[in-house]
Amino acid sequence: MQRAASILAVAIAGTFATSLSFAQDDAPAPTKPADAFIQQLDTDGDGKVSLEEALAPQKPRFTETDTDGDGFISMEEASTAFNNQVPAEMLEAMKERGMPDPGETFVKNLDKDGDGKVSPAEFEQPTVESFKRMDADSDGFATNEEATAFFEEMQRQMQEQMQKMQQMQQQQEGAAAPQQ
């Protein structure tokens, strides 16, 4: 479950980062993730982000990924989307390491009702959950201060997860080394 949560955290960060990549050319580049989050998603200019504003970039992304237009994202559609966005050498390295297809993992992690596909609500759920965690005072808005705390905590958790993975890899390598 922790692995799924980590994958979702990375997915959410990627969603925010992708949303942020659509920055206007004349806007100064933000220096912190929280600044970029507010700058790109605060469409009404009030200095904070509502859940509606946070979800807005996801609607066209869902429609773009749902290539057959049936209102759901299948494993095949998710795989195609990942294959179109991730460099081929990275996909190949993932296969060599025995990692599952990213589209399959995406659907398995988001498909809460078990029907083998992702609905719009399931697609938005990680953002909804992350937004709730970010909105520390539960007033319905994420301020720069709340976003800063959220992104710092995400970074800490990712670093912790990376350290655990490195330790596991070192242990596996140590166990596989021939004894002298």
Side-chain angles (χ1 to χ4, degrees), residues 140-177:
F141 297 95
T143 64
N144 192 292
E145 182 179 285
E146 290 170 321
T148 297
F150 175 82
F151 286 116
E152 286 174 354
E153 178 61 16
M154 272 184 49
Q155 181 178 17
R156 186 194 66 73
Q157 288 176 2
M158 285 191 273
Q159 288 172 339
E160 215 174 81
Q161 189 69 21
M162 289 297 291
Q163 288 173 345
K164 287 178 185 177
M165 289 169 39
Q166 288 171 344
Q167 289 171 350
M168 287 175 52
Q169 183 177 6
Q170 289 170 349
Q171 288 172 352
Q172 289 173 349
E173 289 171 358

Side-chain angles (χ1 to χ4, degrees), residues 78-94:
S79 292
T80 299
F82 277 101
N83 289 337
N84 290 337
Q85 295 174 10
V86 176
E89 53 276 357
M90 183 181 277
L91 290 169
E92 187 59 36
M94 291 170 66

Side-chain angles (χ1 to χ4, degrees), residues 11 19 27 75 89 97 102 105 112:
S19 299
M75 284 188 198
E89 53 276 357
R97 291 188 174 126
T105 301
K112 299 302 180 196

Side-chain angles (χ1 to χ4, degrees), residues 48-50 131-132 134-143 146:
K48 51 193 174 185
V49 175
S50 68
F131 186 86
K132 286 179 183 176
M134 186 183 297
D135 179 15
D137 62 6
S138 301
D139 69 351
F141 297 95
T143 64
E146 290 170 321

Side-chain angles (χ1 to χ4, degrees), residues 15-82:
T15 298
F16 286 144
T18 302
S19 299
L20 303 176
S21 70
F22 296 111
Q24 297 175 1
D25 292 334
D26 59 348
T31 58
K32 298 186 320 183
D35 293 338
F37 173 80
I38 299 292
Q39 182 179 356
Q40 297 305 311
L41 297 177
D42 176 23
T43 56
D44 65 8
D46 64 357
K48 51 193 174 185
V49 175
S50 68
L51 177 58
E52 182 179 299
E53 289 171 317
L55 288 172
Q58 296 209 347
K59 295 177 188 329
R61 188 165 297 111
F62 182 91
T63 301
E64 182 180 297
T65 305
D66 176 23
T67 55
D68 66 8
D70 69 351
F72 297 94
I73 297 174
S74 66
M75 284 188 198
E76 294 78 22
E77 290 168 324
S79 292
T80 299
F82 277 101

